[in-house]
Amino acid sequence: TGNAAQVVLQYGALEMADNTNWTGDTPITNADHQQRWVLPSDKELGLMVTKEDQIRMIVDPKSPYADIVRAAYNRAYDKALVAAAFAAAKTGPYNAMVDTAFPAAQMIGGATPTDGLTVDKLNQAREMLDAAEVEDFDTRYIVCTAQQVSNLLNDQKVTSADYNTVKALVNGEVNQYLGFEFIRYEALPLATKTRSCIAYAKSGLHIGTWNGLEVHMDQRPDKKYVWQIYGKCTLGATRTQEKKVVEVLCTEA
C-alpha cells in the first residue's frame, strides 16, 4: 500500500572475530544494509461491445472480451518483470532513493555478440549464480525466445548425450537444461540484432501488486447502452540483488 513498498533489505557480509578473551567486552559490528523499493504503475484497458457487434458475432462476446482483458493483464505482469531485470533499481531510504544501475559485470556474451545462446553462455551464467552463493532451492530460470532454444541444437558443444535433451527442449517436451528452467518469451529487449536474455534466481526478481486485476462489465447509458468491459491494475517490479540476475546477450539474424 502507499506510494512505494520496501521489498527487501540487502545486508553486507560480516565476519566473525576470534574470541581471545572469555570475559571481555562483547564486540559490536555495524551491519551495512540497503533498502530496495518497488514503485507502483497504473494500467488500464477499456473495450466497448455494441448490439450490432453481438448480432454479427452470433455469440455474446462479453465473456471472451473479459478473457482478453485478463490476457492483457498477464502481459503487463510479464513486461514489468522483464523491464525490471535490467533497469535501474530504487535503493536507499524512502526520502533519498538512488538509482542502482544494472552492472556491466553481470552481462555475458559481449556488447556485440557473434553467436546465439550456447552451452558456454549457459555454463557461465550458472557459474555466476554459483559464485553469488545462490541457494540450491532458489529455482533458476533462463528467459529467452524460441530462436535461442533452437541455437542450442546447432552448438557444437552439445554432446551426443545432451542432444536428445536439447531436441526435447526445442519441441517443448521438457523445459530444463543445465540447471535452468526455460521460459520462452518473444518480447525480450532486442537492439541491433542483439537479444537480451535473462538468467536469474527466483528470489532475484520481485513483483508487487497494489491491487490485482479488476474487471467491470457495465452498460453505458451515455453511449446508447453499449456494453463496456473495463480492466485496471496497479503493479511494480524490481531486482532484489544484482548478482542474482545475469544478462545473456545473443545475436539474432
Side-chain angles (χ1 to χ4, degrees):
T1 61
N3 296 323
Q6 178 184 297
V7 297
V8 71
L9 278 175
Q10 300 174 333
Y11 291 97
L14 300 178
E15 298 290 341
M16 298 190 75
D18 293 331
N19 182 358
T20 59
N21 186 346
W22 292 356
T23 59
D25 293 337
T26 302
I28 302 298
T29 302
N30 292 323
D32 179 40
H33 67 273
Q34 292 286 341
Q35 298 162 297
R36 182 59 54 91
W37 297 84
V38 60
L39 305 181
S41 176
D42 300 319
K43 310 289 184 182
E44 64 177 352
L45 174 65
L47 297 170
M48 284 191 174
V49 186
T50 68
K51 184 67 174 178
E52 290 74 15
D53 287 332
Q54 296 182 49
I55 293 172
R56 287 168 174 77
M57 293 177 66
I58 306 301
V59 297
D60 187 344
K62 292 192 294 296
S63 180
Y65 277 141
D67 291 338
I68 290 173
V69 173
R70 292 188 187 93
Y73 168 72
N74 291 334
R75 282 191 288 274
Y77 195 99
D78 291 340
K79 287 179 180 178
L81 274 172
V82 168
F86 308 131
K90 300 295 183 181
T91 309
Y94 174 70
N95 294 324
M97 294 182 192
V98 297
D99 287 338
T100 301
F102 185 75
Q106 292 299 112
M107 303 177 190
I108 63 175
T112 54
T114 58
D115 53 7
L117 186 61
T118 63
V119 172
D120 282 345
K121 288 179 182 178
L122 283 176
N123 272 324
Q124 189 175 348
R126 177 184 56 79
E127 290 172 5
M128 290 174 72
L129 294 177
D130 285 344
E133 297 185 348
V134 172
E135 300 287 353
D136 292 338
F137 58 79
D138 201 353
T139 308
R140 300 177 183 192
Y141 299 94
I142 174 77
V143 186
C144 59
T145 72
Q147 181 168 332
Q148 277 83 58
V149 179
S150 296
N151 290 157
L152 289 173
L153 275 181
N154 298 320
D155 187 353
Q156 295 180 352
K157 292 194 175 182
V158 173
T159 65
S160 57
D162 286 339
Y163 181 82
N164 288 333
T165 299
V166 174
K167 188 174 182 180
L169 183 70
V170 172
N171 293 334
E173 297 167 6
V174 299
N175 72 331
Q176 291 185 331
Y177 182 59
L178 289 181
F180 289 98
E181 288 192 19
F182 279 68
I183 299 174
R184 294 187 182 93
Y185 183 72
E186 299 301 316
L188 286 169
L190 178 65
T192 318
K193 297 183 179 180
T194 297
R195 183 76 70 175
S196 293
C197 300
I198 311 169
Y200 71 102
K202 184 176 182 179
S203 64
L205 293 176
H206 175 89
I207 190 163
T209 55
W210 275 248
N211 63 282
L213 175 64
E214 289 185 28
V215 180
H216 301 275
M217 300 163 86
D218 307 284
Q219 279 187 295
R220 293 277 302 272
D222 61 324
K223 297 293 183 181
K224 299 182 179 180
Y225 291 91
V226 300
W227 281 93
Q228 175 181 281
I229 295 93
Y230 177 77
K232 68 176 183 177
C233 66
T234 302
L235 50 79
T238 187
R239 284 187 314 279
T240 61
Q241 296 183 40
E242 276 60 57
K243 290 188 177 182
K244 289 187 176 182
V245 181
V246 179
E247 183 176 8
V248 184
L249 297 171
C250 300
T251 187
E252 287 194 4

